[in-house]
């Protein structure tokens, strides 16, 4: 017969091994004692029955969290409930998520500036829009190509070190831009330095934090962290546009450098690399997971992950759809919306404010997308997002005017909700197919996102110089989004993959 509750609470932080002896009916032991067992390692104790007789060893519990028993143990009775009125401390993972969010908000300043620089640089230096667009395209391409290597570097050196170095690099590049007088200096400072720094803490940063610190609520947390960039855009775009219009572009670039440096202390003192660093299991995890040893050869691991993923069809479908995502957001709207609206007579501050409003609704749309990703097939979500985005772009050329009117506001709200809503389902599909390498594989998918953005950032400027307007760019991007919607539906579910639940608890 089963012996009732053996242990209710452990006060010692030592690992405990539970041993139970079975007896015939009526031979219920009167006492249970704790004593070192013959197989116990230092710091362990075995709980054994005091009744003599032939027993069956049911020992359990190896590799447990300090102060807890792991494995499938015999019934230990109900867990003690918190005292009425007792405060329940939130899991440390949420604090890490907050620091990550603040970091992404501060770093978003650099992403808000390129679209505001095109006209001032064209006016001051006489550089063509295509030339300025080339510098922006180098930035966007390096942003993407650096991401998979950064994810591997985070496994090797830790999240905190990589992100802190990335922020310093962004600050250096933005600060040196103030002193540039030649095109090659723009490409070096804004294209190379800011591109490398931003790529090292791109969305792969959010994916790595989510994978390490969360098991439950991953979709929701991914959406919240992704929205950090949109929140930063909301904060910095109006400020940078006002500074650019009233004081020139150099103070705006200096503000970007200061914003990146201001976030470094938060990262260094508050961010932690792994739950095991503070003796915790990941949020929602059933058991404690020790911190893995640093993985040497970050570059080799990133390339091996690419090689293995490139042999699968879903990788190319995800990379293709995400390239179109980048082309229709960072490359197109974020880079060329302000100058396109200015072509129609709209003030730069008004156009920049519309982009900031996109950031407002981007936050809501991305968080909602994370919530939907936990419940609805990511493939269907992607098809819906890309289809609606393409439809909205087809209407944009007839909406641009010298002032803000209700149809334009409707476009801004709609486009904002759809802006980076594609990120949570894309990360979920990478996690479904590529497991522990999902953050690195997503880094490569993100590289395609930024390559698409870089191409359109450059070609959009060339088209404007050649045709005198951006209309052909809007229509072409809308058609590409329709193709991405069809590609999303082609992605098949991996055999044995869990189906998103209609309700999630915990």
């Amino acid at each position: 017969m089963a012996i009732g509750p053996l242990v209710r609470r452990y006060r010692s932080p030592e690992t405990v091994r539970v041993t139970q002896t079975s007896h015939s009916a009526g031979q219920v032991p009167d006492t249970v004692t704790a004593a070192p067992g013959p197989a116990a390692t230092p710091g362990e104790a075995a709980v054994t029955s005091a009744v003599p007789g032939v027993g069956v060893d049911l020992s359990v519990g190896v590799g447990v969290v300090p102060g807890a028993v792991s494995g499938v143990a015999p019934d230990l009775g109900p867990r003690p409930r918190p005292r009425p009125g007792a405060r329940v401390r939130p899991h440390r993972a949420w604090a890490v998520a907050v620091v990550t969010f603040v970091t992404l908000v501060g770093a978003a300043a650099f992403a808000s500036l390129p679209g505001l620089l095109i006209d001032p640089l064209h006016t001051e230096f006489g550089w063509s829009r295509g030339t300025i667009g080339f510098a922006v395209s180098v930035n966007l391409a390096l942003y993407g190509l650096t991401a998979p290597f950064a994810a591997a570097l985070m496994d090797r050196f830790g999240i905190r070190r990589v992100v802190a170095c990335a922020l310093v690099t962004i600050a250096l590049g933005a600060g040196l831009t103030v002193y540039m007088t030649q095109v090659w200096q723009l490409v070096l400072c804004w294209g190379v330095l800011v591109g490398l720094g931003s790529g090292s803490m791109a969305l792969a940063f959010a994916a790595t934090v989510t994978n390490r610190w969360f098991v439950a609520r991953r979709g929701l947390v991914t959406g919240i962290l992704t929205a950090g960039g949109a929140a930063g855009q909301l904060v910095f775009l109006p400020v940078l546009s006002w500074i650019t219009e009233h004081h020139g572009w150099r103070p705006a670039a200096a503000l970007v450098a200061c914003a990146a440096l201001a976030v470094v202390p938060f990262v260094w003192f508050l961010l932690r690399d792994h739950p095991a660093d503070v003796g915790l299991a990941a949020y929602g995890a059933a058991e404690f997971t020790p911190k893995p040893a640093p993985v040497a050869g970050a570059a080799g691991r990133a390339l091996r992950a690419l090689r293995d993923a490139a042999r699968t069809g879903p990788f190319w479908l995800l990379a293709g759809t995400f390239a179109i995502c980048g082309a229709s957001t960072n490359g197109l709207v974020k880079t060329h919306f302000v100058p396109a609206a200015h072509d129609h007579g709209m003030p730069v501050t008004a156009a920049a404010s519309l982009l900031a409003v996109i950031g407002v609704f981007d936050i809501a749309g991305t968080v909602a997308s994370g919530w939907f990703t936990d419940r609805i097939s990511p493939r269907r979500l992607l098809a819906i997002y890309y289809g609606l985005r393409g439809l909205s772009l087809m209407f944009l050329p007839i909406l641009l005017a010298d002032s803000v009117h209700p149809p334009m506001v409707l476009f801004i709200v709609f486009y904002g909700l759809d802006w980076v809503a594609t990120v949570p389902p894309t990360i979920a599909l990478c996690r479904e197919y590529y497991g522990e390498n999902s953050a690195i594989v997503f880094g490569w998918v993100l590289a395609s996102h930024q390559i698409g953005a870089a191409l359109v950032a450059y070609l959009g400027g060339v088209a404007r110089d050649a045709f005198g307007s951006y209309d052909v760019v809007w229509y072409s991007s809308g058609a590409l989004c329709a193709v991405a919607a069809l590609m999303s539906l082609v992605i098949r579910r991996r055999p044995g993959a869990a189906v998103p639940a209609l309700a999630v608890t915990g």
Side-chain angles (χ1 to χ4, degrees):
M1 60 175 289
I3 301 175
L6 294 181
V7 180
R8 288 291 184 94
R9 181 179 301 171
Y10 299 103
R11 297 186 180 276
S12 170
E14 298 175 345
T15 303
V16 177
R17 174 175 284 109
V18 178
T19 304
Q20 178 175 305
T21 307
S22 64
H23 305 275
S24 59
Q27 293 180 322
V28 181
D30 294 325
T31 60
V32 176
T33 61
T41 59
E44 291 184 337
V47 181
T48 59
S49 170
V51 176
V54 179
V56 179
D57 187 8
L58 299 176
S59 299
V60 295
V62 290
V64 297
V65 186
V69 179
S70 70
V72 182
D75 181 15
L76 300 182
R79 296 180 181 178
R81 297 181 179 179
R83 297 188 308 272
R87 296 181 59 185
V88 179
R89 296 183 61 184
H91 194 282
R92 180 66 178 270
W94 294 109
V96 173
V98 169
V99 174
T100 304
F101 183 87
V102 172
T103 302
L104 294 173
V105 168
F110 67 82
S112 303
L113 195 57
L116 303 176
L117 290 179
I118 292 178
D119 284 338
L121 294 180
H122 173 72
T123 301
E124 179 173 338
F125 298 108
W127 300 337
S128 70
R129 291 176 175 83
T131 300
I132 300 170
F134 173 74
V136 176
S137 69
V138 171
N139 174 293
L140 294 174
L142 287 177
Y143 179 101
L145 292 173
T146 306
F149 296 97
L153 285 172
M154 289 177 188
D155 288 341
R156 176 66 179 87
F157 298 105
I159 299 174
R160 183 171 57 171
R161 293 179 181 178
V162 173
V163 174
C165 290
L167 289 167
V168 172
T169 303
I170 291 172
L172 179 64
L176 291 177
T177 304
V178 174
Y179 303 101
M180 70 180 180
T181 56
Q182 303 294 325
V183 172
W184 68 266
Q185 295 169 342
L186 174 65
V187 175
L188 174 64
C189 296
W190 199 264
V192 176
L193 290 178
V194 176
L196 288 174
S198 59
S200 297
M201 52 170 301
L203 293 176
F205 169 40
T208 302
V209 170
T210 304
N211 287 348
R212 291 187 181 183
W213 282 89
F214 291 87
V215 172
R217 309 295 188 190
R218 276 179 170 172
L220 177 62
V221 174
T222 300
I224 292 173
L225 296 183
T226 304
Q233 178 176 298
L234 168 64
V235 171
F236 288 105
L237 252 178
V239 175
L240 292 175
S241 65
W242 184 87
I243 292 175
T244 301
E245 187 170 7
H246 291 84
H247 301 285
W249 60 270
R250 287 181 175 84
L255 178 60
V256 170
C258 294
L261 286 177
V263 181
V264 173
F266 288 94
V267 172
W268 191 255
F269 294 108
L270 300 178
L271 193 63
R272 291 295 178 267
D273 294 329
H274 197 278
D277 290 343
V278 290
L280 295 174
Y283 178 79
E287 59 183 11
F288 177 81
T289 302
K291 183 178 181 179
V295 180
R301 185 185 177 198
L303 293 174
R304 286 192 299 272
L306 173 62
R307 178 198 63 194
D308 295 339
R311 295 173 179 173
T312 65
F315 173 79
W316 295 106
L317 291 171
L318 290 170
T321 55
F322 222 43
I324 295 172
C325 177
S328 56
T329 52
N330 290 1
L332 181 62
V333 175
K334 183 172 285 187
T335 303
H336 295 294
F337 178 81
V338 172
H342 190 56
D343 285 346
H344 288 76
M346 185 180 294
V348 171
T349 50
S353 297
L354 289 177
L355 275 186
V357 174
I358 285 181
V360 174
F361 289 94
D362 182 14
I363 297 172
T366 307
V367 173
S369 179
W371 188 85
F372 287 136
T373 301
D374 287 334
R375 292 159 172 79
I376 302 174
S377 169
R379 300 154 188 80
R380 295 180 182 178
L381 289 176
L382 289 177
I384 294 172
Y385 296 155
Y386 286 124
L388 294 178
R389 180 184 298 178
L391 184 64
S392 65
L393 285 174
M394 292 294 186
F395 287 97
L396 182 58
I398 63 176
L399 298 179
L400 289 169
D402 58 357
S403 61
V404 179
H405 48 87
M408 173 58 76
V409 174
L410 181 62
F411 168 84
I412 292 296
V413 171
F414 184 84
Y415 212 79
L417 292 172
D418 194 72
W419 183 264
V420 288
T422 55
V423 173
T426 301
I427 290 179
L429 289 173
C430 287
R431 190 181 298 123
E432 174 183 324
Y433 274 95
Y434 306 110
E436 62 181 10
N437 284 330
S438 61
I440 298 176
V441 173
F442 176 71
W444 286 113
V445 173
L446 179 62
S448 70
H449 181 280
Q450 295 307 111
I451 290 173
L455 287 174
V456 173
Y458 172 66
L459 295 176
V462 172
R464 169 62 178 79
D465 291 335
F467 301 110
S469 75
Y470 286 98
D471 288 358
V472 65
V473 185
W474 305 125
Y475 291 131
S476 300
S477 297
L480 285 174
C481 288
V483 174
L486 295 176
M487 292 171 65
S488 301
L489 294 175
V490 175
I491 303 174
R492 296 181 179 180
R493 179 178 290 109
R494 184 178 61 83
V499 179
L502 294 179
V504 177
T505 60

